Amino acid sequence: MTAHAPSAPGSLELVRRFVNTRDFEAGTGRRASPQALTDWLRHESLLPGTASASAEDLESAVRLQESLRKAIAANHNGAPTPPHARKVINAAAEHAQLTVELDEDGGWSLTPHATGIAAALGSIVSEVVRAMATKEWSRLKVCVNDTCQQAFYDHSRSRSGRWCSMQTCGNQSKQKTWRSRRSPGKESYHDKYGKPVRGNSPQ
C-alpha cells in the first residue's frame, strides 16, 4: 500500500478519500469506531459539530465504502457496478433523501434532505453521481494489488493504470509474476567465462 495514491480532481477526491479510510494491508479500519467515523466526517465538513455516529451508522458507512470500492474496481474493464453494490449505494441515496435541484445557471446538483450521518453519506453518493455524468468516474480505480486496494485516479493518457503506484505496488506485482514464471530447478548460473547459462548447477 502507498500513502501517495494519485488524487482525484475536484470533489471526486472526497469519494477517493472515503474509500481509502480502510487500510487493507494492516487489516484494520481507520473508522473502527463510531467516534472515528464522526471525527472523519467532521474533518471533511460533512457533519455538524452536534451530530455523532452510532454503531448502526458505522455499519452503514462501511457497507457504502465497500460497495463504492466494488463499483470503482469495475472501472478497470468498463463493467457495470455489481448488483449488490448498486443496491447498497441506492439505499444510501434513498436514506439521505437525495433530490435533484436545478440552479439559476441551468446546472443541477443532488442535495440530501435528511440529517446527520445519513446526509453526510448522501453527500458522498451525490459526488459519485456527479462524476458518473462526466469522464472523471471511469478514471477512478482500485489498485489491483490484493494487499493494497487503495482507490486512485488514473491520470495516464491511455487510461490503463492498474496500480496506485508503479514504484511500489506495480513493481511488487511484476516481481511476483516474474518469480512465478521461473521453473523449479532452472536457476541461473555462469560458465567459466562469466556468461549466464540456464539449467542445473554444473557438477
Side-chain angles (χ1 to χ4, degrees):
M1 185 196 69
T2 176
H4 304 289
S7 59
S11 54
L12 184 58
E13 173 63 8
L14 171 66
V15 180
R16 191 190 72 88
R17 288 199 300 268
F18 176 70
V19 172
N20 285 350
T21 52
R22 178 174 177 180
D23 188 336
F24 269 75
E25 192 171 62
T28 59
R30 295 185 187 135
R31 292 195 322 275
S33 70
Q35 185 59 52
L37 172 61
T38 298
D39 292 342
W40 190 88
L41 293 174
R42 285 178 181 169
H43 180 266
E44 298 292 335
S45 301
L46 295 176
L47 193 67
T50 56
S52 60
S54 65
E56 184 178 358
D57 291 328
L58 178 61
E59 291 179 3
S60 297
V62 171
R63 284 197 299 270
L64 176 60
Q65 180 200 48
E66 295 313 310
S67 294
L68 288 175
R69 191 186 305 278
K70 290 181 174 63
I72 295 170
N75 285 338
H76 279 289
N77 55 12
T81 299
H84 178 71
R86 187 171 63 247
K87 181 178 179 180
V88 171
I89 297 170
N90 286 342
E94 182 179 1
H95 194 44
Q97 300 176 36
L98 286 181
T99 59
V100 177
E101 294 188 357
L102 300 177
D103 58 38
E104 58 184 11
D105 297 322
W108 62 273
S109 62
L110 282 175
T111 303
H113 288 275
T115 59
I117 303 299
L121 298 181
S123 295
I124 294 171
V125 174
S126 70
E127 293 304 331
V128 172
V129 176
R130 183 203 59 77
M132 284 182 169
T134 71
K135 295 180 180 180
E136 294 177 357
W137 176 253
S138 62
R139 287 185 176 271
L140 191 61
K141 298 179 179 180
V142 172
C143 183
V144 297
N145 184 347
D146 291 339
T147 61
C148 177
Q149 297 190 36
Q150 292 281 289
F152 70 96
Y153 192 78
D154 183 5
H155 290 275
S156 69
R157 181 176 300 180
S158 62
R159 297 173 178 256
S160 59
R162 292 171 52 80
W163 301 282
C164 62
S165 170
M166 191 64 226
Q167 288 68 38
T168 54
C169 289
N171 281 338
Q172 289 174 14
S173 178
K174 289 187 175 183
Q175 290 173 6
K176 183 178 179 180
T177 299
W178 178 79
R179 287 194 297 268
S180 68
R181 289 176 177 174
R182 298 184 69 182
S183 301
K186 296 294 183 179
E187 300 296 333
S188 296
Y189 300 95
H190 295 78
D191 62 18
K192 62 181 180 180
Y193 301 105
K195 294 182 179 181
V197 295
R198 299 288 294 174
N200 295 327
S201 176
Q203 301 297 321

